[in-house]
Amino acid sequence: RKAVNFFSVPDGHRIWARRARKTADAIVVRHGIQVVLTSSAPYSAHLIGMYLQKKHPGLGWVADFRDPMSTHRGLVTIRRPPGWLGALRACERRILEAADRVIPNTPMNRRELMRLFGLPGGKATAIPNGYDPEMLPEPGVRRGQSGKLELFYIGGLRGDWFEGPFYEALAILKQQAPDLAGLLSVNFVGADAIIGSKAEDLCVAEDIRMHGFVGQEAVGEFYTQAEAFLLILPSHDTALGWVPQKLYAYLHCRKPVLAVVPEGQVADYVRRSESGVVVSPADSEEIAKALRDMLETFAREGRLDLTRSQQAEEFVGTLSKPHLASEMLKMFRQLVDDKTSGFPGPGSSDPICG
């Protein structure tokens, strides 16, 4: 299995995709399917779409990428055989050229696809991962306040290369404004322990409460307890189009977000939604200043309120899953209309990558 994952293009699920083609074809024939949606990961799912499109020329095919493929941030840390990345990019090109429509998961990833592969603008439509309002508390709800500024980070930890600048900022805050630092309660939800040694070395590990991995219902309670949210991304080019799922939930909850991120898609979303402050992960002093500003407001007013313009609220509404599903449905209907009216679409004679 490890050897298959190591050498396979686009991924180790390629054998599954080949076996699944027969089942998918039977479903298309039996139900008179007009549009097929393939969604990755795994990226091998798109090979099924290529196969079906070749076998049924009138079939519409939408290739949905919930994460980038050959430009995925994780590829920088994965060891692969020589030439593998080039083969992956060639496979991605064939998928993009063959599909009738392509869905990247952020506007920045859409622009990157257009730049790298020369996709026409009308072929690719960004549809973010978004948030499900039915699985989250009502915006602005607070419960169980402790008298401290409860700052919550929801999600897994990655180590000092990722969270290190925030630990440095905590140390600076404790040194420069110890009284204000005493009002801050930092909460990490989704990990049992800090990864790396920097927090211990800087004597801030004891200031962070670890809540471990919890279920969806418990996460909802943490969203209501939060006075503000923390989001961290590294200073790396591969992080520019990366939008962690937690951000969409943060924006829905209508509480301030401290976004320790590089200039990129997350920074754009936070600013467009008027939901907080963006600080570079390369500047621990500025992160400490942002924390201090939040704490001074909290000390003065006893809470942090977030007021957004109508335009910002409308933008956040466009990130809800019901809205995004309706946009995807419009795409499917338009594609069916194009196919039935004889509108020419891109095609490919190569059903398998590699």
Side-chain angles (χ1 to χ4, degrees):
R1 178 66 181 178
K2 289 183 179 180
V4 171
N5 289 335
F6 186 70
F7 288 103
S8 291
V9 175
D11 54 38
H13 296 276
R14 178 170 174 160
I15 296 175
W16 160 80
R18 185 177 289 275
R19 291 172 177 170
R21 295 186 311 186
K22 183 177 180 180
T23 301
D25 180 53
I27 292 172
V28 168
V29 173
R30 184 183 312 123
H31 297 284
I33 301 296
Q34 295 176 289
V35 176
V36 168
L37 171 73
T38 57
S39 185
S40 56
Y43 302 105
S44 289
H46 299 307
L47 305 186
I48 302 173
M50 295 180 76
Y51 169 82
L52 293 173
Q53 187 195 58
K54 182 182 180 183
K55 189 167 184 182
H56 305 278
L59 183 69
W61 173 30
V62 179
D64 173 55
F65 293 82
R66 289 300 90 196
D67 275 311
M69 189 167 164
S70 64
T71 58
H72 192 285
R73 60 191 178 276
L75 293 180
V76 299
T77 61
I78 298 176
R79 187 173 66 89
R80 294 289 189 178
W84 182 87
L85 184 58
L88 180 68
R89 184 151 295 182
C91 177
E92 183 176 18
R93 179 179 293 279
R94 287 194 286 272
I95 292 169
L96 296 173
E97 291 177 350
D100 294 294
R101 300 289 188 275
V102 175
I103 304 178
N105 67 341
T106 70
M108 185 166 287
N109 287 336
R110 173 181 178 270
R111 291 193 294 271
E112 186 70 357
L113 284 181
M114 293 170 64
R115 183 185 70 83
L116 288 174
F117 299 100
L119 288 185
K123 185 171 186 175
T125 301
I127 298 183
N129 293 336
Y131 63 87
D132 187 343
E134 293 187 0
M135 300 183 70
L136 294 167
E138 288 294 317
V141 171
R142 287 177 171 84
R143 281 199 294 269
Q145 270 28 71
S146 64
K148 290 191 173 187
L149 194 165
E150 298 287 349
L151 181 66
F152 274 83
Y153 174 92
I154 312 289
L157 302 179
R158 290 171 172 80
D160 290 341
W161 68 278
F162 201 98
E163 296 92 30
F166 178 72
Y167 301 147
E168 293 170 1
L170 284 181
I172 293 170
L173 178 69
K174 289 178 67 176
Q175 181 181 29
Q176 295 180 348
D179 291 342
L180 283 176
L183 290 175
L184 180 64
S185 174
V186 179
N187 300 267
F188 284 174
V189 179
D192 293 315
I194 291 173
I195 300 174
S197 61
K198 181 167 285 190
E200 287 285 353
D201 295 342
L202 295 171
C203 301
V204 297
E206 65 270 19
D207 302 307
I208 300 172
R209 297 171 61 194
M210 308 299 297
H211 296 274
F213 181 82
V214 298
Q216 184 62 41
E217 185 175 343
V219 171
E221 287 301 312
F222 288 129
Y223 281 126
T224 64
Q225 293 174 26
E227 193 70 38
F229 296 112
L230 172 66
L231 193 144
I232 305 172
L233 288 179
S235 294
H236 195 284
D237 289 346
T238 59
L240 301 185
W242 180 7
V243 180
Q245 185 65 37
K246 64 177 74 67
L247 177 64
Y248 299 110
Y250 289 178
L251 300 185
H252 164 79
C253 289
R254 201 190 297 137
K255 295 179 180 181
V257 177
L258 173 57
V260 182
V261 299
E263 289 297 328
Q265 194 66 69
V266 167
D268 178 65
Y269 279 173
V270 171
R271 292 189 179 113
R272 287 186 64 189
S273 64
E274 301 172 10
S275 292
V277 60
V278 175
V279 188
S280 169
D283 195 335
S284 299
E285 291 282 352
E286 281 300 306
I287 301 171
K289 181 180 182 301
L291 285 169
R292 185 167 182 166
D293 290 345
M294 294 172 70
L295 286 162
E296 287 175 347
T297 300
F298 182 80
R300 184 173 61 252
E301 301 179 8
R303 59 186 289 161
L304 296 180
D305 288 317
L306 181 66
T307 302
R308 295 194 288 223
S309 67
Q310 181 178 348
Q311 184 178 16
E313 289 289 359
E314 290 173 353
F315 169 69
V316 173
T318 66
L319 300 174
S320 73
K321 288 188 182 295
H323 173 81
L324 297 172
S326 69
E327 291 299 304
M328 190 175 289
L329 184 58
K330 290 178 186 177
M331 178 189 297
F332 295 164
R333 287 173 173 162
Q334 183 61 56
L335 182 53
V336 170
D337 290 344
D338 291 345
K339 290 287 185 178
T340 55
S341 65
F343 181 81
S348 171
S349 60
D350 186 355
I352 292 294
C353 294

